[in-house]
């Protein structure tokens, strides 16, 4: 990963950065390109000229929906306007002299003085991952080795109490989108030479490796991938947000005291939102009544590997705590787990590709057609199982490629009329609903053959949408002049195809297996009716009844985040609130109180 910091499934922008080199097997963070401060702007630009350009950009980005088939054209046009603005703003951004690692000793001293743990590890640059934490002693698995008190965290709450407070109290976008509030909090504190958080801010990267920092040629490598539309959306959202707040800062009476009034560049905003996207996490507020967003100094230097989330929040001691994911010997890098993100999410929202991602997956959108003669019956069976008639599911890189939810959907999708009646009428109808997602109990051999044949065909069609093969991508990756960003993009599109190829093979193997069972007259497995609700679903590894699970793929991330706290008293596990290592999806609701009005504002602004 390169220096961008831990993130998982909780980013709020189009989502984003950290970064990984060509043959890296671990997550890593983005390397800084150090700039010298004090260089003047290339040419003087009148406020009126800049406002005209900003107005043009805002108008260009105002349409929330791109014309199908013309997304690339729109992206290029928006980039062109942004580049005009960036050129006129050259030299106006605030940067720090020297290299970021020059400020590491100051960061460690600041953390120690304010109650954070600083023993047992040091900040080091690693060959593959970039900067990270290296153990200076043996650390045992599950040992508490790192804690950061609340006073060191930059949060939405600390933003409200800062110079940003007056504008926050009046601006509905800031109130609805905590990630943007954190970004402006970061920008304001960066310009304040007396800021409490300056020792932390000076160690942040100057640049990141998300698609926000790709050039056009590098973005071209993402064409045909599932990620490309999200990349376009991310750039468009960021440009629109910048244009909107540029006008706010220049015209709003509550923005007059902001240190950004004289200089607020696109590069400043891109840096701030990228810093937040790669580092923000949800923590409980001081009274534990709701969650808020926070940047967590020092802890966000940890790099990613496969595992489990080992970070939580201790409300009693009011601090973020991290226990060791595994045994670490002295001199080894200390890793944490960012969460169950796909490589598309890592690239878009974190800026790195993780080679050995056990949670990689591709999206597949499926739905029951309303013109289907059996639509009403299928919709009713799906409703009883808690599954929508149309949804975005996932094909996983690991075996089996489908979840219990997708298996259940496909079984219903492929049912004939008699099979549907059996799940709607009769003494055992509810029992059959419970086993829909359990691979051990097929509806019928014919149904299994149909669903795996259908899945094989759909995955094969998705493969045909790519303009290159896996072999083509391998040849491109051998090119010595391939940029880091380009290599990351090519590896992502290759991984998507490899996942689809595995799904095709798995579906084909299952189709053949169930065809053989049908031909040989193999009896269907029987189950104990009284224990149906507790049968383990081998496909999803789930032990819950299907109807008790989150069945919408878009909700899976949030469900994973709250699982532990839901099953423990008062929503806490040993008085420690679950802290997902990561960021929040662009369309996720980041507000703990689920304020519908504010959520609508946020979605409208980032759609």
């Amino acid at each position: 990963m390169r220096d961008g910091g831990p993130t998982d499934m909780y980013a709020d922008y189009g989502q984003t950065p950290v970064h990984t080199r060509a043959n890296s097997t671990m997550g890593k963070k983005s390397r800084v390109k150090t700039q010298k401060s004090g260089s003047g702007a290339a040419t003087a630009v009148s406020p009126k000229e800049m406002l005209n350009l900003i107005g043009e950009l805002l108008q260009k980005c105002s349409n929330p929906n791109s014309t199908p088939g013309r997304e690339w054209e729109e992206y290029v046009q928006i980039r062109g306007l942004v580049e005009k603005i960036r050129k006129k703003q050259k030299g106006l951004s605030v940067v720090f002299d020297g290299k970021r690692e020059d400020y590491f000793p100051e960061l460690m001293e600041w953390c120690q003085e304010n109650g954070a743990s600083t023993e047992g590890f040091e900040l080091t640059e690693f060959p593959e991952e970039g900067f990270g934490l290296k153990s200076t002693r043996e650390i045992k698995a599950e040992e508490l080795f790192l804690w950061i008190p609340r006073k060191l965290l930059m949060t939405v709450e600390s933003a409200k109490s800062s110079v940003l407070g007056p504008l926050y109290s009046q601006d509905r976008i800031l109130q609805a989108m905590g990630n943007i509030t954190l970004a402006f909090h970061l920008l304001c504190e960066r310009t304040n030479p007396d800021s409490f958080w300056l020792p932390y801010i000076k160690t942040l990267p100057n640049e990141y490796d998300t698609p926000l920092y790709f050039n056009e040629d590098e973005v071209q490598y993402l064409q045909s991938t599932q990620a490309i539309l999200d990349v376009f959306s991310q750039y468009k959202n960021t440009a629109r947000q910048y244009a909107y707040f540029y006008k706010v800062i220049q015209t709003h009476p509550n923005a007059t005291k902001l240190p950004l009034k004289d200089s607020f560049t696109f590069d400043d905003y891109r840096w701030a939102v990228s810093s937040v996207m790669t580092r923000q996490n949800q923590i409980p507020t001081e009274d534990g009544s709701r969650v808020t967003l926070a940047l967590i100094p020092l802890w966000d230097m940890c790099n990613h590997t496969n595992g489990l989330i080992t970070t939580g929040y201790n409300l009693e001691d009011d601090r973020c705590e991290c226990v060791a994911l595994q045994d670490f010997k002295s001199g080894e890098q200390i890793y944490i787990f960012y969460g169950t993100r796909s490589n598309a999410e890592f690239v878009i929202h974190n800026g790195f590709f993780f080679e050995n991602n056990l949670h990689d997956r591709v999206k597949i959108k499926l739905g029951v057609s309303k013109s289907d003669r059996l639509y009403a019956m299928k919709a009713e069976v799906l409703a009883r199982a808690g599954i929508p008639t149309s949804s975005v599911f996932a094909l996983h890189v690991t075996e089996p490629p489908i979840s219990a939810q997708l298996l259940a959907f496909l079984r219903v999708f492929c049912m004939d009329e008699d099979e549907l009646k059996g799940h709607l009428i009769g003494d055992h109808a509810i029992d059959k609903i419970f086993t829909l997602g359990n691979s051990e109990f097929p509806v019928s051999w014919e149904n299994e053959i149909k669903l795996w044949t259908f899945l094989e065909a759909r995955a094969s069609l998705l493969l045909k949408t790519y303009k290159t093969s896996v072999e083509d991508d391998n040849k491109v990756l051998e090119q010595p002049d391939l940029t880091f960003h380009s290599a990351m993009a090519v590896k992502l599109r290759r991984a998507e195809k490899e996942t689809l190829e595995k799904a095709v093979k798995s579906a084909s193997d299952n189709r053949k297996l169930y065809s053989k069972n049908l031909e040989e007259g193999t009896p269907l497995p029987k189950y104990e009716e009284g224990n149906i609700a507790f049968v383990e679903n081998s496909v999803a590894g789930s032990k819950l009844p299907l109807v008790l699970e989150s069945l919408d793929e878009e909700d899976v991330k949030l469900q994973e985040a709250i699982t532990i706290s839901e099953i423990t008293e008062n929503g806490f596990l040993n008085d420690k609130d679950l802290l997902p290592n990561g960021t929040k999806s662009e369309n996720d609701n980041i507000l703990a109180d689920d304020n519908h009005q504010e959520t609508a504002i946020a979605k409208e602004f980032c759609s």
Side-chain angles (χ1 to χ4, degrees):
M1 171 190 81
R2 287 186 177 184
D3 226 318
T7 63
D8 171 50
M9 42 237 152
Y10 301 101
D12 284 306
Y13 295 96
Q15 276 198 132
T16 102
V18 202
H19 125 206
T20 157
R21 235 173 241 165
N23 297 315
S24 169
T25 57
M26 294 291 182
K28 67 179 170 184
K29 304 188 254 168
S30 334
R31 201 176 302 282
V32 177
K33 293 182 180 178
T34 306
Q35 304 173 26
K36 295 293 182 182
S37 61
S39 56
T43 56
V45 183
S46 70
K48 183 178 180 181
E49 181 183 359
M50 184 57 68
L51 279 173
N52 287 338
L53 281 172
I54 294 295
E56 187 179 352
L57 178 62
L58 186 58
Q59 183 177 11
K60 185 64 184 175
C61 297
S62 61
N63 181 12
N65 299 313
S66 301
T67 304
R70 302 188 65 181
E71 293 89 356
W72 174 259
E73 179 182 344
E74 180 190 58
Y75 171 73
V76 171
Q77 290 173 354
I78 292 173
R79 277 195 72 114
L81 283 171
V82 168
E83 290 306 313
K84 280 184 181 180
I85 292 170
R86 290 185 67 230
K87 185 176 181 180
K88 294 183 180 298
Q89 294 174 337
K90 186 176 180 181
L92 294 178
S93 297
V94 175
V95 292
F96 299 106
D97 287 322
K99 300 177 181 179
R100 60 187 293 243
E101 56 265 38
D102 296 340
Y103 300 100
F104 286 170
E106 184 181 350
L107 171 67
M108 294 293 282
E109 181 181 355
W110 175 71
C111 287
Q112 184 179 30
E113 289 176 352
N114 288 282
S117 58
T118 56
E119 301 294 330
F121 57 84
E122 61 186 12
L123 296 173
T124 305
E125 185 172 12
F126 294 91
E128 294 297 328
E129 292 85 358
F131 294 108
L133 294 189
K134 183 177 77 173
S135 60
T136 56
R137 62 172 177 83
E138 185 176 301
I139 299 177
K140 292 294 184 181
E142 299 186 8
E143 176 185 343
L144 176 62
F145 73 95
L146 179 61
W147 57 88
I148 310 292
R150 183 182 296 271
K151 67 180 295 186
L152 289 176
L153 312 185
M154 296 187 74
T155 67
V156 172
E157 276 57 44
S158 63
K160 294 177 189 178
S161 303
S162 72
V163 67
L164 191 62
L167 181 60
Y168 178 92
S169 68
Q170 296 294 316
D171 189 89
R172 294 191 305 161
I173 303 301
L174 291 178
Q175 293 168 10
M177 303 183 69
N179 56 312
I180 294 182
T181 298
L182 267 185
F184 277 101
H185 188 23
L186 191 59
L187 283 172
C188 291
E189 296 301 320
R190 186 176 67 160
T191 62
N192 178 10
D194 298 319
S195 171
F196 171 73
W197 291 283
L198 206 57
Y200 167 60
I201 297 171
K202 287 190 291 188
T203 65
L204 295 175
N206 280 351
E207 291 187 357
Y208 293 88
D209 290 305
T210 61
L212 283 178
Y213 285 84
F214 283 24
N215 61 40
E216 282 187 29
D217 290 338
E218 292 166 339
V219 175
Q220 281 278 17
Y221 283 107
L222 289 171
Q223 291 279 37
S224 300
T225 67
Q226 292 192 353
I228 190 63
L229 293 182
D230 289 333
V231 170
F232 293 157
S233 177
Q234 179 189 67
Y235 196 91
K236 182 177 180 179
N237 291 340
T238 302
R240 180 165 67 248
Q241 292 163 11
Y242 171 72
Y244 168 82
F245 280 104
Y246 186 95
K247 287 195 167 186
V248 168
I249 289 172
Q250 295 302 317
T251 61
H252 200 290
N254 283 19
T256 55
K257 293 184 179 180
L258 290 184
L260 309 175
K261 193 168 181 66
D262 294 333
S263 177
F264 174 49
T265 68
F266 178 83
D267 285 358
D268 287 335
Y269 189 67
R270 179 176 62 171
W271 171 84
V273 299
S274 297
S275 296
V276 171
M277 281 189 289
T278 59
R279 289 171 149 76
Q280 69 178 354
N281 279 266
Q282 290 181 323
I283 66 166
T285 51
E286 286 192 65
D287 61 5
S289 64
R290 57 190 180 86
V291 294
T292 188
L293 295 180
L295 299 178
I296 307 173
L298 192 57
W299 175 81
D300 64 10
M301 292 296 296
C302 294
N303 288 315
H304 168 77
T305 192
N306 289 313
L308 298 172
I309 290 176
T310 56
T311 303
Y313 200 90
N314 186 326
L315 275 173
E316 183 177 351
D317 294 330
D318 202 19
R319 66 186 189 183
C320 171
E321 296 183 343
C322 184
V323 299
L325 178 63
Q326 62 194 50
D327 290 341
F328 294 107
K329 297 178 182 178
S330 179
E332 289 185 336
Q333 182 171 182
I334 300 172
Y335 294 100
I336 62 174
F337 176 60
Y338 289 8
T340 57
R341 300 197 114 185
S342 67
N343 268 319
E345 291 170 318
F346 276 138
V347 169
I348 296 169
H349 312 311
N350 301 78
F352 72 90
F353 180 91
F354 187 56
E355 295 283 359
N356 186 32
N357 188 358
L358 299 180
H359 304 282
D360 207 8
R361 55 194 178 270
V362 296
K363 293 179 288 187
I364 179 169
K365 187 173 183 179
L366 299 172
V368 181
S369 172
K370 290 186 178 180
S371 63
D372 187 330
R373 180 178 67 86
L374 301 174
Y375 175 81
M377 295 178 71
K378 290 179 180 180
E380 179 60 26
V381 174
L382 288 170
R384 293 186 184 187
I387 307 174
T389 55
S390 178
S391 186
V392 177
F393 297 95
L395 296 175
H396 297 265
V397 68
T398 51
E399 190 66 30
I402 65 174
S403 64
Q405 294 88 350
L406 179 50
L407 176 62
F409 176 87
L410 290 171
R411 282 177 169 171
V412 176
F413 182 82
C414 294
M415 282 182 188
D416 60 28
E417 189 169 356
D418 288 337
E419 289 167 343
L420 288 166
K421 286 180 180 178
H423 286 73
L424 293 171
I425 304 170
D427 295 337
H428 302 298
I430 187 64
D431 294 340
K432 291 181 179 180
I433 295 292
F434 273 116
T435 57
L436 273 175
N438 194 310
S439 63
E440 298 299 319
F441 304 109
V443 173
S444 67
W445 297 133
E446 292 88 351
N447 182 266
E448 291 295 307
I449 294 168
K450 287 180 185 177
L451 78 87
W452 290 110
T453 300
F454 171 78
L455 189 65
E456 181 182 1
R458 285 301 298 267
S460 297
L461 285 173
L462 286 174
L463 270 171
K464 292 179 180 179
T465 63
Y466 292 87
K467 297 179 180 178
T468 60
S469 65
V470 170
E471 293 71 24
D472 294 333
D473 293 339
N474 288 334
K475 291 179 182 178
V476 173
L477 289 170
E478 292 174 358
Q479 297 176 6
D481 58 343
L482 196 67
T483 68
F484 176 82
H485 293 160
S486 297
M488 184 170 25
V490 173
K491 286 195 282 187
L492 174 61
R493 76 185 190 194
R494 179 183 65 179
E496 287 186 358
K497 283 173 282 199
E498 289 173 339
T499 299
L500 287 169
E501 287 177 350
K502 289 180 181 179
V504 169
K505 183 180 184 305
S506 179
S508 176
D509 291 344
N510 278 289
R511 172 178 53 79
K512 293 173 183 177
L513 170 65
Y514 293 117
S515 294
K516 181 180 179 183
N517 288 349
L518 179 63
E519 291 171 4
E520 296 179 351
T522 305
L524 287 171
K526 294 183 179 181
Y527 51 79
E528 294 294 330
E529 296 173 8
N531 294 327
I532 290 175
F534 305 100
V535 174
E536 180 173 355
N537 294 334
S538 60
V539 168
S542 171
K543 297 182 180 180
L544 292 175
L546 184 64
V547 292
L548 299 183
E549 296 175 14
S550 174
L551 301 175
D552 185 345
E553 284 292 325
E554 293 301 314
D555 293 333
V556 167
K557 296 175 184 176
L558 182 59
Q559 186 68 23
E560 289 172 345
I562 63 176
T563 297
I564 294 179
S565 58
E566 277 190 330
I567 62 175
T568 54
E569 185 177 4
N570 298 323
F572 299 103
L573 179 65
N574 298 326
D575 294 323
K576 297 175 184 178
D577 191 41
L578 180 67
L579 178 70
N581 299 334
T583 58
K584 198 172 172 58
S585 298
E586 176 188 345
N587 292 323
D588 284 343
N589 177 15
I590 58 172
L591 302 176
D593 57 0
D594 195 22
N595 186 297
H596 298 296
Q597 180 182 1
E598 294 181 350
T599 303
I601 295 170
K603 287 187 176 181
E604 180 182 355
F605 197 65
C606 281
S607 59

